[in-house]
Amino acid sequence: MQVNKSLLASSTTMLVLKLLEKEDMYGYQMIEVLAKRSDNTFSLKAGTLYPILHGLEKQGMLSSYEGTTDSARVRKYYNLTSKGRRLLHEKQAEWNAYSDAVNKVLKRGGAGYAFS
Amino acid sequence: MPSHESISAYINEVCNQVRWKRVRPVIAREIENHIDDQIQSYISSGMEPDEATEKALLQMGDPLEIGSALDRTHRPKPEWSMLILIAAALLIGLAIRMFVSPVNEFGQPLLPSSLLAVAIGVVCMTAVYFFDFSLIGKYPKLTQALIIFSALVTFVLSPRVKGAPLYLYYVVLLLPIAYAAFIYIQRKKGYWGIALSLIAAFVLSGIAFVGSLWSEALLVFLSCLIMLNIAIAKEWFCSKSALGLILTNLSALAGVLAVILTHIEYITRWFGSIGGYYLPNLVKALLRSSKLFGQGDPTLYNVLPFSYDERYLLAYLTHRFGWIAFFVIVTVLTAFIVRGFYLAFKKASILGLFISTAVLLTFTFQTIAYIICNLGFPILFAGTLPFITYGKTATVVNMALIGLMLSVFRTGALRFDNPYDSANSLSKKSHPLN
C-alpha cells in the first residue's frame, strides 16, 4: 500500500530514530531495513534520508563514525545518542496520541463525514 | 554515458549545491557509497551494470533537491554563547582599565594599549577562526615543529628577568596545541603510543621547566596528562582503556615525583621567591575586610598600592567593589570554560576534541592559578586572568587560541578528519566518538 507523502514526511524523523534504537546503521542499510519492516510501504529515497540524518547529527541526536563491515568498504555509521533517544520517545508519544485521536474520530463519525 | 561518469556527475551536482566547501568530501563519500550499494543490489538481482546504475541514480532522487536540503543543514554556525562570554570578559577588562586602574605605577595610561591589544586580538581571533583547523591534523609534525621552534627561538632571544626568558610564558600557552597534534598521530599505536605520548608530555613541559617557569611547566604537564587520559578513554590508541589509564597516571606520578625530588632545592627557593608570606597575608587581610557589596576597609590600601599590581587585581577588585565583583568575573570565566568543555565533548570531531581541550585547559589553568593566588594561596604563579588583567601579548595569544577553538565548534559534530583516509576512521567495534 502506498501512503500519502506528507504523512510520510512528518513521521520520517521518528522512523529514522526508531531504526537506530537497537543497532547502529549506515544510510543504505536503513532504507533497506525500513522497506523490509514495512512490507515496502516506506520506500525512503536517499535524497530525503541524508538531509534528515545530517540534520539530526548536527542537533546532537545522532553521532557518526566510520566503520567497516565484512566488505572492505568503509561506511558512515549512525548511532543514536541519549538525546536522540529522548526525542524518539517524545515523537512516539506524540504519534500515539495523534493516531489514537484519528482512530477515535474515524470510528465514531464515519469516514464520509470525517473527510467531507 | 559510462556508469562511473554518470555517478560522479550526479555527486558533483549534489555537492555543487552545498556552499560550505569543507563538508563536500564528507557528503560525496557517503553518497558514492550509497549509490554503490544500490547498484550492487540491483546487479545481484540480475540487472545489467548500466541499467543498474541508471536505476540506482533514479532511486537517489533529484540531485538539486538533495543538494539544497544538505546545504540548508550545513551552514557554519558561530557559537554565539561563547562569543558573548568573551565579549563580556573583554568589556570587564576594558572597564577596569577605564575606571578602576587607568594607569600603571609609572603613571602611564593603560587604556590605549589595552584597546590596541583587544583590536589586534580580535583580528587574530577572526583570522584563526576562519583558518581550517583540520590542517593541524594534516600537518601534525609541522605544527609541533613550528611551536617548539618558536619556543626555542624565544628561549634564546627573549630578554631575561631574573634569568627567566620574559616572553617564553606566551609561547608556553601554545605547547598543549603541539601536544594535541602529537597524540593525534599516535592513533592505533597501542601501549607504545601511550608511552611515547607520556614522554612527549614530559618533554613539552620540560621546555617551560628549563625556562624557570615552574608553575607553567606543571600546568602544561597537567594539560598534556588530561588530554592523554581523554585519548586513552576514547580508545584512540586501541588499547585497553582501564589498564592504559592506570599505567599512564602511575608513571606520570612517578615521573613528577622524580622531578620534584631531583630539583627539591630549586623548588623550595622558587616558593620562597614568590614574595614569602607577606603578600599572601596582605591579600587574605584584604579579602577578610571585603563586603558582599561595596568597599571594604580603605586604610588597607596605604600598606601597598594594590591597584597597580595586576597579579592581585582580582583581590583588589573584591575589596574595592565587594565579593559581587569577584563572583561576576569568576562566573563569566567559569561559564566560558564549562560551555567550552560541553561543546568540545558534544560537538567536536576527535581532532577537534584534542585541539579544543588543549585551548580550554590552557585557559582553565591560567584562570585557576590566578584565582587561587588571589585568594591568598600562592601555590602557583599568577600570570594572567585571561581578558581581565592587563597584558597585551597575553590578550592577543589567548584570543588567537580561542579563535582556534571556535573554528572547531563552527564545524559542528561532523567529522572532517581526512574523510578520504580510511585508515583514519575507527573500526565499528570500538567507536570512541560517542
Side-chain angles (χ1 to χ4, degrees), chain A residues 50 54 63 66 73 75 78, chain B residues 30 33-34 37 426 434:
Chain A
Y50 287 108
H54 289 202
S63 64
E66 292 190 337
R73 195 178 302 152
R75 291 193 173 97
Y78 292 90
Chain B
E30 194 173 26
N33 274 334
H34 187 103
D37 278 330
L426 297 145
N434 307 313

Side-chain angles (χ1 to χ4, degrees), chain B residues 86-120:
Chain B
I86 297 167
L90 283 171
L91 284 177
I92 293 175
L94 288 176
I96 293 169
R97 297 292 94 70
M98 214 182 282
F99 304 114
V100 186
S101 64
V103 289
N104 64 9
E105 63 259 54
F106 308 112
Q108 292 158 327
L110 295 176
L111 186 63
S113 46
S114 271
L115 281 173
L116 182 68
V118 171
I120 298 173

Side-chain angles (χ1 to χ4, degrees), chain B residues 188-209:
Chain B
K188 281 189 178 175
K189 293 200 177 157
Y191 293 109
W192 177 237
I194 297 179
L196 277 182
S197 305
L198 194 59
I199 293 170
F202 277 104
V203 171
L204 284 180
S205 43
I207 295 176
F209 197 76

Side-chain angles (χ1 to χ4, degrees), chain B residues 121-349:
Chain B
V122 167
V123 171
C124 288
M125 191 169 93
T126 317
V128 180
Y129 178 69
F130 288 109
F131 163 84
D132 179 2
F133 80 90
S134 66
L135 285 176
I136 293 180
K138 204 171 175 187
Y139 305 107
K141 286 181 182 159
L142 183 67
T143 310
Q144 295 162 52
L146 280 176
I147 293 175
I148 292 172
F149 180 72
S150 45
L152 294 180
V153 169
T154 318
F155 192 85
V156 175
L157 297 182
S158 168
R160 283 164 191 263
V161 177
K162 289 184 196 161
L166 188 58
Y167 291 105
L168 189 63
Y169 176 80
Y170 308 110
V171 188
V172 163
L173 298 179
L174 303 177
L175 291 176
I177 300 287
Y179 194 68
F182 185 85
I183 44 177
Y184 185 67
I185 48 175
Q186 303 306 319
R187 182 166 178 267
K188 281 189 178 175
K189 293 200 177 157
Y191 293 109
W192 177 237
I194 297 179
L196 277 182
S197 305
L198 194 59
I199 293 170
F202 277 104
V203 171
L204 284 180
S205 43
I207 295 176
F209 197 76
V210 293
S212 312
L213 297 168
W214 315 122
S215 53
E216 285 73 14
L218 181 64
L219 302 185
V220 169
F221 184 74
L222 284 178
S223 298
C224 295
L225 190 62
I226 292 173
M227 286 159 72
L228 182 56
N229 273 290
I230 293 172
I232 298 171
K234 294 266 177 198
E235 294 178 21
W236 185 244
F237 303 98
C238 295
S239 59
K240 286 202 181 83
S241 333
L243 188 62
L245 289 173
I246 293 168
L247 287 178
T248 303
N249 292 308
L250 282 180
S251 350
L253 189 66
V256 171
L257 285 179
V259 172
I260 289 177
L261 288 177
T262 47
H263 293 78
I264 190 79
E265 198 190 323
Y266 292 105
I267 290 169
T268 41
R269 206 190 305 157
W270 172 72
F271 261 108
S273 75
I274 331 179
Y277 286 96
Y278 174 66
L279 274 176
N281 283 338
L282 217 55
V283 166
K284 282 184 188 136
L286 265 186
L287 294 180
R288 263 197 303 274
S289 82
S290 297
K291 295 173 184 163
L292 184 55
F293 298 99
Q295 195 173 18
D297 178 10
T299 53
L300 280 167
Y301 297 143
N302 302 333
V303 189
L304 193 91
F306 261 105
S307 57
Y308 295 141
D309 197 337
E310 293 290 328
R311 282 179 306 160
Y312 292 102
L313 181 71
L314 189 61
Y316 172 74
L317 290 172
T318 308
H319 185 259
R320 172 100 184 258
F321 298 101
W323 282 98
I324 188 73
F326 180 92
F327 288 124
V328 168
I329 291 173
V330 172
T331 306
V332 169
L333 295 176
T334 311
F336 181 82
I337 291 167
V338 171
R339 174 84 184 145
F341 275 113
Y342 172 81
L343 291 172
F345 278 90
K346 283 281 169 186
K347 290 182 99 181
S349 62

